[in-house]
Amino acid sequence: MTGSVVLAAAFGVIAGVVLTLLLLLARRLARGNADLGSAAEQASYGAMHQASLAARHLRAGLSSPDVVRAARHFRTLLGGTAVAIVGADGAVAIDGSADALEGSALRIAQRVQDSGRRQVFPHPEGEELEAVGAPIVVDGQVAGVVVAFAAPVRAALVRATGEVADWCAAQVELGGLDASRTALAEAELRSLRAQISPHFIYNALTAVASFIHADPERARELVLEFADFTRYSFRRQGEFTTLAEELRSIHSYLTLERARFGDRLDVTLRIAPEALATVIPFLSVQPLVENAVRHGLEPGEGGGTIRIEALDDGTHTEITVEDDGVGMDPDTLRTLLTAADDGAHVGLRNVDTRLRQMYGREGGLVVETNPGEGTLVRMRIPKSQPLHDPGRD
């Protein structure tokens, strides 16, 4: 076989391989397009995607600087020349021809706000573009207006602008709920701190005073423990902490209580090492320990034992605080936990409320108790909490 024949055969094989690869690639691309669905399905996906991108920029309210990013996504969604979101306070976030259309957007928004309904404006005040304005209604009040500019404004754009305004209203309402939840959580933390202050601080300082002359070094150690405890309890950074941080504060608390109880208070800890990094709500375990001492052991003359456990079951960390104190009738406890004006068990009630808000109705405390049989309080904290950061303010 001559060299030219061999060369021709080699080229033929290479060409065949390349052609095969091209056919396979074309088939893969065709299949990929089919996987995306029909043109209508792709359009629906695109609309939902743009709406979801805009949502995150509306939660802080219509006066937030981020609202202009929402306007950019709505312009892509509506396909107009420009889109403006005008707050009730006159703040304008506009995407597209901002300098030329901002004044028109303000005037249109004022007319829509006065009427409270969607309106179309053919060539407003000599503008080449037409416009449609739709009110953003929150709690029965016009909180802002969505204005879309196009040439011309068609019926589909009018309807779509109204839907966008309704979507904005829903996101602003959700943002208000987020703010209310944050305010409630802060109020509950203030309530917990108020509970800590009068009862425990008095007892701790009394315990320190009792050692000043008899054992000055012991008194000094207790003052340092007291400082660590109060520094943690009254810190300002974040709604969340780690179990390890909370246990350090609990150690300080129990050291001070042991100074008061002496040998009448025993503490047993069983903590899985992998549970220490679990992110928990700030001041969620500490009030349970205080409740065990104050309402479980303190009423009895013989003191008792507190057991603190934290076990890892793979998806959750289960934390229990148990005492062998006086216990309580379960029906009485149920009433105390739901009574808004009860001051004795505010710690338990606030922890239970916060856990349910964060982790759902099934995420609250489980309490087992009976008169004379002590009390066990259990919580289950999910290990995966992407939105909860111990350092988040």
Side-chain angles (χ1 to χ4, degrees), residues 213-291:
H213 297 293
D215 191 346
E217 185 61 27
R218 176 67 169 153
R220 178 179 177 277
E221 292 174 359
L222 291 175
V223 168
L224 293 177
E225 295 287 1
F226 180 74
D228 288 341
F229 174 82
T230 54
R231 185 183 300 113
Y232 177 81
S233 298
F234 293 94
R235 75 174 197 177
R236 293 187 175 274
Q237 62 267 42
E239 292 181 46
F240 295 87
T241 187
T242 63
L243 179 59
E245 289 289 333
E246 188 106 342
L247 287 174
R248 273 192 280 270
S249 177
I250 290 170
H251 170 78
S252 296
Y253 168 79
L254 290 173
T255 299
L256 290 160
E257 290 291 27
R258 275 174 167 161
R260 186 164 63 97
F261 277 84
D263 294 336
R264 295 184 299 121
L265 175 59
D266 290 326
V267 179
T268 301
L269 282 84
R270 184 186 173 200
I271 310 295
E274 58 271 23
L276 291 172
T278 301
V279 175
I280 64 173
F282 176 61
L283 287 184
S284 56
V285 181
Q286 182 175 297
L288 307 186
V289 177
E290 291 188 55
N291 185 79

Side-chain angles (χ1 to χ4, degrees), residues 319-385:
I319 304 168
T320 59
V321 177
E322 182 179 9
D323 68 77
D324 57 3
V326 298
M328 181 180 291
D329 178 73
D331 291 334
T332 302
L333 177 63
R334 189 177 299 110
T335 301
L336 290 173
L337 290 177
T338 56
D341 59 349
D342 170 58
H345 292 269
V346 65
L348 276 181
R349 187 176 66 249
N350 281 356
V351 171
D352 181 64
T353 300
R354 290 165 63 212
L355 291 175
R356 293 179 188 277
Q357 289 174 343
M358 294 172 184
Y359 307 123
R361 295 180 61 184
E362 302 302 320
L365 296 176
V366 176
V367 183
E368 301 174 15
T369 186
N370 267 307
E373 297 183 10
T375 301
L376 181 148
V377 185
R378 179 186 296 112
M379 69 172 72
R380 281 173 56 81
I381 305 295
K383 293 177 66 177
S384 177
Q385 303 182 64

Side-chain angles (χ1 to χ4, degrees), residues 38-55:
S38 65
E41 290 170 335
Q42 293 180 43
S44 297
Y45 169 78
M48 289 188 293
H49 181 61
Q50 291 299 326
S52 66
L53 291 175

Side-chain angles (χ1 to χ4, degrees), residues 42-281:
Q42 293 180 43
S44 297
Y45 169 78
M48 289 188 293
H49 181 61
Q50 291 299 326
S52 66
L53 291 175
R56 71 188 69 174
H57 304 302
L58 295 168
R59 295 292 179 88
L62 299 180
S63 298
S64 167
D66 282 348
V67 175
V68 69
R69 299 182 181 179
R72 186 173 305 125
H73 292 300
F74 287 142
R75 182 187 174 198
T76 301
L77 177 62
L78 295 174
T81 302
V83 168
I85 301 175
V86 184
D89 59 354
V92 180
I94 188 168
D95 184 69
S97 304
D99 295 337
L101 297 175
E102 184 171 335
S104 293
L106 273 170
R107 289 188 289 272
I108 290 169
Q110 186 60 58
R111 291 177 60 180
V112 172
Q113 187 170 349
D114 292 341
S115 68
R117 59 186 179 83
R118 186 178 61 195
Q119 295 184 56
V120 177
F121 299 86
H123 305 292
E125 301 188 17
E127 295 282 359
E128 294 183 2
L129 298 171
E130 297 182 350
V132 55
I136 301 171
V137 181
V138 178
D139 294 331
Q141 302 292 323
V142 178
V145 177
V146 176
V147 182
F149 294 91
V153 168
R154 302 186 185 277
L157 180 61
V158 175
R159 292 194 298 270
T161 303
E163 294 296 330
V164 165
D166 291 342
W167 174 263
C168 288
Q171 300 310 310
V172 172
E173 287 179 339
L174 289 173
L177 289 175
D178 289 341
S180 297
R181 272 197 298 269
T182 300
L184 179 60
E186 291 174 350
E188 287 164 347
L189 281 176
R190 286 195 296 270
S191 179
L192 285 170
R193 286 166 172 149
Q195 179 205 17
I196 291 168
S197 302
H199 182 82
F200 171 72
I201 291 178
Y202 173 80
N203 288 335
L205 293 178
T206 300
V208 171
S210 69
F211 285 96
I212 289 178
H213 297 293
D215 191 346
E217 185 61 27
R218 176 67 169 153
R220 178 179 177 277
E221 292 174 359
L222 291 175
V223 168
L224 293 177
E225 295 287 1
F226 180 74
D228 288 341
F229 174 82
T230 54
R231 185 183 300 113
Y232 177 81
S233 298
F234 293 94
R235 75 174 197 177
R236 293 187 175 274
Q237 62 267 42
E239 292 181 46
F240 295 87
T241 187
T242 63
L243 179 59
E245 289 289 333
E246 188 106 342
L247 287 174
R248 273 192 280 270
S249 177
I250 290 170
H251 170 78
S252 296
Y253 168 79
L254 290 173
T255 299
L256 290 160
E257 290 291 27
R258 275 174 167 161
R260 186 164 63 97
F261 277 84
D263 294 336
R264 295 184 299 121
L265 175 59
D266 290 326
V267 179
T268 301
L269 282 84
R270 184 186 173 200
I271 310 295
E274 58 271 23
L276 291 172
T278 301
V279 175
I280 64 173

